[in-house]
Amino acid sequence: MRYLSARQMVFDAYRAQQGSVMAGASEVAALKAKVQKTQKQNNDWRIVDGLESGVVISAIESQPQHLQAMCRYCWGPFTRDELAEDMEWLHLALVRSMMSARLPGQGDKSRLSAKAWRTLTALAWAAIYHHGEVTYPYNRQGLVGPRAIKRWLEDERGTTIDVRRWSAPARLSWSDIWCQMLTTLDDWESRALGPVAALMTWAA
């Protein structure tokens, strides 16, 4: 295969394998060696492609569950039904990552109100969708602004949130929480794609 980016590697590897391959570090090393040897000695590039995709998938699936889920959800060639479990893993991880943050209206209370909890979990669904839309292979606009977020949640999740006080100067608002979620997803993307991008040197 000829790769242009780590995101493309994820997409092409799963498309080539039509499934997942789990390998330990020793198996990965053996696969790399076999790929390099095959590239020199064998003209059947289908074999090389299959071995390369196996190594890429192994690099993905040796990571924490939420990073694996991000790779498959954002850049894999899968249907919505096939991605349901990965979406749940990613959503759970994102909500957990936000539990240490103060939320709008929480004040000094240690517990969240039911309304704040509903808004937090709803925004996590929207943030994951948005992140997947704006990255390869879609490169779409995503959810721009609170009205688009609210509309998507109503249409896709059957959930309604109040966005009338989306932004509030000089105090914590839901727009701040939204930005924190997107920053977290950006960080996870970097961590998830790092091991994949490291393979580009020998896959080139």
Side-chain angles (χ1 to χ4, degrees):
M1 296 183 193
R2 289 298 173 262
Y3 297 117
L4 300 176
S5 71
R7 295 179 184 87
Q8 182 210 344
M9 291 174 78
V10 174
F11 183 88
D12 288 349
Y14 277 107
R15 183 173 59 180
Q17 290 286 337
Q18 295 296 309
S20 72
V21 174
M22 197 62 184
S26 60
E27 294 175 78
V28 172
L31 278 171
K32 286 183 181 178
K34 194 170 184 180
V35 168
Q36 291 166 347
K37 182 178 180 181
T38 304
Q39 286 174 324
K40 292 178 181 178
Q41 298 181 354
N42 198 312
N43 291 324
D44 189 347
W45 286 97
R46 288 175 299 177
I47 294 175
V48 176
D49 287 351
L51 292 170
E52 287 183 356
S53 63
V55 175
V56 172
I57 291 173
S58 180
I60 295 167
E61 298 189 355
S62 61
Q63 298 185 60
Q65 188 69 44
H66 67 292
L67 299 184
Q68 296 181 40
M70 168 170 266
C71 286
R72 289 186 292 265
Y73 174 77
C74 291
W75 310 296
F78 301 108
T79 66
R80 180 177 295 189
D81 288 343
E82 291 171 323
L83 290 168
E85 185 176 349
D86 283 327
M87 184 77 163
E88 292 284 348
W89 270 105
L90 194 51
H91 180 262
L92 177 62
L94 185 57
V95 170
R96 282 179 174 172
S97 76
M98 297 301 298
M99 291 304 295
S100 60
R102 304 301 294 180
L103 299 181
Q106 185 177 358
D108 296 329
K109 299 175 184 176
S110 58
R111 281 192 165 188
L112 301 178
S113 67
K115 182 179 179 180
W117 174 253
R118 284 195 303 271
T119 302
L120 177 67
T121 56
L123 286 181
W125 288 119
I128 292 166
Y129 170 79
H130 172 81
H131 188 87
E133 285 289 288
V134 300
T135 58
Y136 177 91
Y138 302 113
N139 300 316
R140 296 171 181 159
Q141 187 176 25
L143 302 175
V144 181
R147 290 183 181 177
I149 295 168
K150 184 177 189 297
R151 189 181 314 113
W152 183 85
L153 285 169
E154 290 172 346
D155 293 345
E156 298 295 327
R157 304 294 309 179
T159 302
T160 299
I161 62 171
D162 184 359
V163 296
R164 288 174 296 178
R165 297 181 181 177
W166 180 253
S167 298
R171 71 177 186 183
L172 185 66
S173 65
W174 285 109
S175 66
D176 298 317
I177 301 302
W178 175 256
C179 289
Q180 288 180 45
M181 287 183 175
L182 297 186
T183 298
T184 297
L185 291 171
D186 284 341
D187 176 63
W188 288 356
E189 174 178 327
S190 178
R191 290 165 54 192
L193 291 177
V196 178
L199 300 174
M200 291 184 73
T201 55
W202 64 263

